[in-house]
């Protein structure tokens, strides 16, 4: 059975539960990631004499399984990892976590149980990497990324800096031009590589492959990076552990080695950046533009990155927003860099994206190749408002990533979002690069028209501000508004309740909806064959790339609908559903396998082809009968509930038959009927009880009919599943599941458009519906009524 990404992730995260309590996330990540590494290489390379990783005798995950329940399991796991490390020159990389540490893992039986359970979790079928056939879909790398993000979330402010959010890494990877590499000999470098996530994302952009170099100061984090490289299929990547600024490892003689590409997410505002060397006498000539402040190393890392690039090199670095405008020596460095034309662009990011800090940051994109024209300007993007809340952090959405990359790579001028800022304009601002100086992304304040408040009607300017709608539906404005007796004002032609219907029913809006539907159908027609061709060996990531590029193209010329909103719907559905489906098909083909629903003994379903789709297509008549039975049963239940409500409470005729928990049981009703059946004073109670008992019996009978009908239908559905052809499965999965869901999401965008217009018109109509004089008259009238009531009560106001 194929590995489902969602199940893989939950299984891996479950493994962390075995370690919580004895240590925090910054520590237990080392245990979980080492076990993941051992499991993966054991599954993938055991028995392969040509493998890049050697699995020695006594050094595999199978040997760990044999230790389950043994009192020396911790010591045994350490030995297994040592054997694997020795055979692959991985000492100091995979053997950093001590599995025999009683302080962290517990003593005696507690350690045995904890480690046995942990190994057991990694035995799960969902973690059998030998069956991963979806080549090109880095399922293990994605799982590693998932764990690193969650570890960073749990590690707290001071310990989460080993990880760069994947979305930010993807932006950097796509704006520095790695995809244009022409040879595997080209190089990429990260001087502060952390766990390697940013470096790998950038390297992955090359279709040919690039040679990877990285340096990281923290020993444990450098080990994570080395494991990460192997797990992502880059075992030859060179990762070095040391302080990049004081002891840069990659050198050519006495000069820094230079690279084609460089990326970095250094620690923000490092105070001890110059420890171990004298920046004024730097042997690598990194600080020719100026020496950064003694207690703030942001520019030190930027200058190191610039110096590490070849003459045509390109790179990007994440730095706190303050580097764009701080003064004194940083201002002088910034001026020198700008005047030399090295900065290609600056991307302002939302606050609270990064682990370890909540401050806003920016990406500075460096391009030495095109630095010969320093007067061309700097391309700036204010992407600070595009994000979604994710727990206690913010996160870039898929649409935010794609928009940033599209706009930056095309150097598109987008109002309130992006523009090229000439160096002359920057010079006028004394080389302050604070993005809000050049891009006003603030939404204008909503106007309050005093004359309209006094005399009524809606200001024409407010209606004209909805011009994007009137360009699409020019006659719709006349259907909604008529001229006022005063110039510059309009009256609402219809009642507020009719606004939405008028918009939806207007011929121009109907045509607009048809245009949106046509755009979707064009995309659907173009991509349905691609979806039908998904099969064993398909690369799921290639599928979603083509689908998403196509949907952006299809909606590029549709007004009112933001193509990136439509793109986000597709990407959300991909991540939640289609990704797992595509991976299942890539491994098992179009196999609609059924299985028991977890946690529900008598329920079954199919991950790829949910049974409701089969019912809808082949058993609609039976489903209609069941639906009617359910409606009939519901009517009986409502009648019963109404009767219970009427006769409950103090002195209620049904109170006597309630249990201690306030429920009415059939046995209690029958017992009470026997008690009072000959009591002439209890005729009314007897009638109520008999009527209620009859409803209970009717409800029970109706429920039985439903269950019988559902059981009969379930048997037929199972038989039908077994008889399904591959073409039938394809039709239901592609048309009834995937395309139907995406179509529904696109329709919500049309609904949002009409909703926004309706809401704005209602808001304006209500704002000016009651002119001030009329409002004052209402206040006077109400005041007179209140005073009249007070006088009747004996209160006199003077």
């Amino acid at each position: 059975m194929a590995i489902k990404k969602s199940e893989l992730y939950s299984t891996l995260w479950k493994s962390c539960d075995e370690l919580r309590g004895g240590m925090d996330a910054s520590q237990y990540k080392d245990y979980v990631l080492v076990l993941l590494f051992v499991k993966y290489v054991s599954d993938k390379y055991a028995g392969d004499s040509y493998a890049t990783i050697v699995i020695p005798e006594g050094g595999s995950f199978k040997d760990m399984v044999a230790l389950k329940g043994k009192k020396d399991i911790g010591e045994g796991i350490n030995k297994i990892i040592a054997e694997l490390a020795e055979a692959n020159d991985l000492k100091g990389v995979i053997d950093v976590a001590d599995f025999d540490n009683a302080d962290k893992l517990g003593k005696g039986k507690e350690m045995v149980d904890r480690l046995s359970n942990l190994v057991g979790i990694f035995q799960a079928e969902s973690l059998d990497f030998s069956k991963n056939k979806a080549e090109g879909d880095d399922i293990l790398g994605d799982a590693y990324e998932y764990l690193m993000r969650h570890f960073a979330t749990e590690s707290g402010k001071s310990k989460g800096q080993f990880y760069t959010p994947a979305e930010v890494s993807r932006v950097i990877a796509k704006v520095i031009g790695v995809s244009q590499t022409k040879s595997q000999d080209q190089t990429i470098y990260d001087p502060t590589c952390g766990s390697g996530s940013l470096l790998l994302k950038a390297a992955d952009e090359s279709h040919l492959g690039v040679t990877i170099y990285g340096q990281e100061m923290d020993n444990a984090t450098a080990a994570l990076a080395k494991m990460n490289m192997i797990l992502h299929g880059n075992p030859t990547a060179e990762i070095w552990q040391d302080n990049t600024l004081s002891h840069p490892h990659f050198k050519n003689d006495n000069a820094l080695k230079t690279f084609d590409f460089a990326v970095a997410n250094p620690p923000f505002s490092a105070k001890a950046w110059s420890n171990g060397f004298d920046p004024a006498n730097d042997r690598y000539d990194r600080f020719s533009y100026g020496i950064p402040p003694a207690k703030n190393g942001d520019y030190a890392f930027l200058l190191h990155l610039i110096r590490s690039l070849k003459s045509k090199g390109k790179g990007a670095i994440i730095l706190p927003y303050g580097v764009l405008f701080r003064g004194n020596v940083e201002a002088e460095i910034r001026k020198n860099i700008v005047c030399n034309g090295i900065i290609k662009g600056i991307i302002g990011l939302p606050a609270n994206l990064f682990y370890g800090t909540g401050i806003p940051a920016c990406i500075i994109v460096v391009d030495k190749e095109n630095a010969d024209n320093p007067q061309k300007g700097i391309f700036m993007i204010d992407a600070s408002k595009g994000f979604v809340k994710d727990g206690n952090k913010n996160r870039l959405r898929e649409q935010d990533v794609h928009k940033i990359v599209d706009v930056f790579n095309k150097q598109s001028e987008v109002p309130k979002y992006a523009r090229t800022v000439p160096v002359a304009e920057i010079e006028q601002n004394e080389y302050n690069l604070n993005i809000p100086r050049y891009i006003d992304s603030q939404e204008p304040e909503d106007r309050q028209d005093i004359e309209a408040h006094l005399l009524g009607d809606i200001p024409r300017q407010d209606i004209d501000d909805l011009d994007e709608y009137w360009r699409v539906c020019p006659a719709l404005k006349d259907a909604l508004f008529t001229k006022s007796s005063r110039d510059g004002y309009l009256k609402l032609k219809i009642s507020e309740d009719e606004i939405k219907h008028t918009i939806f029913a207007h011929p121009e809006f109907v045509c607009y909806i048809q245009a949106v539907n046509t755009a979707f159908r064009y995309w659907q027609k173009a991509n349905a064959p691609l979806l039908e061709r998904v099969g064993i060996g398909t690369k799921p990531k290639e599928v979603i790339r083509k689908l998403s590029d196509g949907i952006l193209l299809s909606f590029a010329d549709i007004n009112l609908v933001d193509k990136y909103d439509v793109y986000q719907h597709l990407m959300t559905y991909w991540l939640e559903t289609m990704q797992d489906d595509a991976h299942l098909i890539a491994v098992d083909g179009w196999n609609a396998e059924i299985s028991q629903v977890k946690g529900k003994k008598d329920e079954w379903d199919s991950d790829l082809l949910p049974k409701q789709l089969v019912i809808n297509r082949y058993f609609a008549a039976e489903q209609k009968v069941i639906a009617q039975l359910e409606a009939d049963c519901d009517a009986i239940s409502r009648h019963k509930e109404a009767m219970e409500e009427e006769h409950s409470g103090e002195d209620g005729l049904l109170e006597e038959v309630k249990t201690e928990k306030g429920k009415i049981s059939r046995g209690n009703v029958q017992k009470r009927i026997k008690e009072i059946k000959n009591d002439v004073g209890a005729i009314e109670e007897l009638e109520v009880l008999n009527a209620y008992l009859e409803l209970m019996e009717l409800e029970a009978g109706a429920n039985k009919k439903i269950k019988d009908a559902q059981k009969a239908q379930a048997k037929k559905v199972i038989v039908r599943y077994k008889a399904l052809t591959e073409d039938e499965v394809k039709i239901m999965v592609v048309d009834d599941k995937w395309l139907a869901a995406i179509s529904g999401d696109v329709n919500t965008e049309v609904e949002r458009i009409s909703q926004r217009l309706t809401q704005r018109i209602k808001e304006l109509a209500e704002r000016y519906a009651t002119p001030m004089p009329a409002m004052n008259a209402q206040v006077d009238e109400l005041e007179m009524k209140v005073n009249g009531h007070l006088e009747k009560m004996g209160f006199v106001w003077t």
Side-chain angles (χ1 to χ4, degrees), residues 444-472:
E445 288 188 18
D446 204 2
R447 292 182 298 269
Q448 297 287 335
D449 189 290
I450 296 175
E451 183 177 339
H453 276 301
L454 291 171
L455 302 176
D457 298 336
I458 302 171
R460 180 183 290 275
Q461 183 60 54
D462 284 323
I463 304 305
D464 290 344
D465 285 344
L466 298 170
D467 184 56
E468 61 175 338
Y469 294 96
W470 313 137
R471 286 199 303 271
V472 174

Side-chain angles (χ1 to χ4, degrees), residues 213 366 753:
Y213 298 86
V366 174
I753 289 164

Side-chain angles (χ1 to χ4, degrees), residues 531-793:
L531 294 174
E532 291 165 3
R533 286 195 301 271
V534 173
I536 293 176
T538 292
K539 299 176 181 179
K541 287 186 177 179
E542 186 65 20
V543 172
I544 187 56
R545 185 189 66 77
K546 291 178 180 178
L547 291 176
S548 58
D549 286 350
I551 210 160
L552 283 167
L553 185 64
S554 294
F555 283 85
D557 298 324
I558 300 295
N559 293 313
L560 300 179
V561 170
D562 186 331
K563 65 180 180 179
Y564 293 107
D565 287 337
V566 179
Y567 169 85
Q568 181 64 42
H569 282 302
L570 171 62
M571 295 306 297
T572 298
Y573 184 63
W574 171 262
L575 293 171
E576 291 177 352
T577 302
M578 281 185 76
Q579 176 178 241
D580 276 342
D581 289 349
H583 197 78
L584 288 173
I585 297 167
V587 176
D588 296 330
W590 294 87
N591 179 19
E593 183 176 325
I594 61 175
S595 58
Q596 184 179 317
V597 177
K598 284 186 178 179
K600 297 183 179 180
K601 184 179 179 181
D602 298 322
E603 285 196 33
W604 59 271
D605 211 332
S606 169
D607 288 327
L608 181 62
L609 181 60
K611 63 183 177 184
Q612 192 58 52
L613 296 181
V614 177
I615 291 170
N616 292 345
R617 185 169 279 268
Y618 296 109
F619 301 98
E622 289 90 337
Q623 188 61 25
K624 188 175 181 181
V625 170
I626 292 173
Q628 184 58 54
L629 289 173
E630 288 173 336
D632 294 343
C633 184
D634 188 52
I636 295 168
S637 298
R638 287 199 305 271
H639 190 182
K640 187 163 71 76
E641 288 167 6
M643 194 172 181
E644 187 175 338
E645 179 72 23
E646 181 183 354
H647 297 288
S648 291
E650 192 174 352
D651 298 328
L653 297 176
L654 293 175
E655 280 300 302
E656 284 286 332
V657 293
K658 285 189 176 179
T659 64
E660 291 181 359
K661 294 183 178 180
K663 302 290 184 182
I664 298 176
S665 73
R666 185 173 180 176
N668 284 356
V669 174
Q670 290 172 328
K671 180 181 177 184
R672 181 62 178 165
I673 289 174
K674 285 181 181 179
E675 290 173 352
I676 65 171
K677 66 179 180 179
N678 296 319
D679 186 349
V680 294
I683 293 175
E684 184 182 356
E685 182 184 357
L686 191 60
E687 289 177 351
V688 169
L689 290 171
N690 279 319
Y692 191 84
L693 182 61
E694 183 182 357
L695 289 173
M696 293 181 85
E697 290 171 346
L698 287 172
E699 184 182 49
N703 278 321
K704 186 177 184 306
K705 287 181 181 178
I706 292 170
K707 286 181 180 178
D708 290 344
Q710 288 174 334
K711 283 182 180 179
Q713 183 191 66
K715 289 179 180 178
K716 292 181 180 178
V717 173
I718 289 176
V719 170
R720 193 67 188 85
Y721 261 100
K722 293 177 180 178
L724 286 172
T725 66
E726 182 175 302
D727 286 341
E728 287 174 324
V729 174
K730 278 186 181 182
I731 289 171
M732 283 184 281
V733 172
V734 173
D735 295 344
D736 301 354
K737 185 180 182 183
W738 294 344
L739 294 176
I742 298 166
S743 176
D745 288 338
V746 172
N747 288 334
T748 64
E749 285 303 310
V750 177
E751 178 70 23
R752 279 175 54 189
I753 289 164
S754 66
Q755 202 68 16
R756 286 199 302 266
L757 180 58
T758 300
Q759 210 56 40
R760 180 56 176 166
I761 294 172
K762 276 188 175 182
E763 182 183 27
L764 292 170
E766 290 170 359
R767 179 180 296 171
Y768 302 115
T770 308
M772 193 67 72
M775 201 177 294
N776 289 336
Q778 288 177 3
V779 171
D780 291 342
E781 182 181 349
L782 291 171
E783 186 178 7
M784 288 176 62
K785 287 182 179 179
V786 171
N787 288 336
H789 288 305
L790 290 171
E791 286 179 14
K792 289 179 181 178
M793 296 167 64

Side-chain angles (χ1 to χ4, degrees), residues 419-432 437-439:
R419 61 176 287 240
T420 297
V421 181
V423 171
E425 186 177 347
I426 294 171
E427 183 181 6
Q428 290 173 1
N429 282 284
E430 299 179 333
Y431 297 93
N432 185 319
R437 286 194 175 218
Y438 307 101
I439 299 173

Side-chain angles (χ1 to χ4, degrees), residues 32 148 324 346 490 665 785:
V32 171
M148 295 303 289
L324 302 179
I346 301 170
L490 297 172
S665 73
K785 287 182 179 179

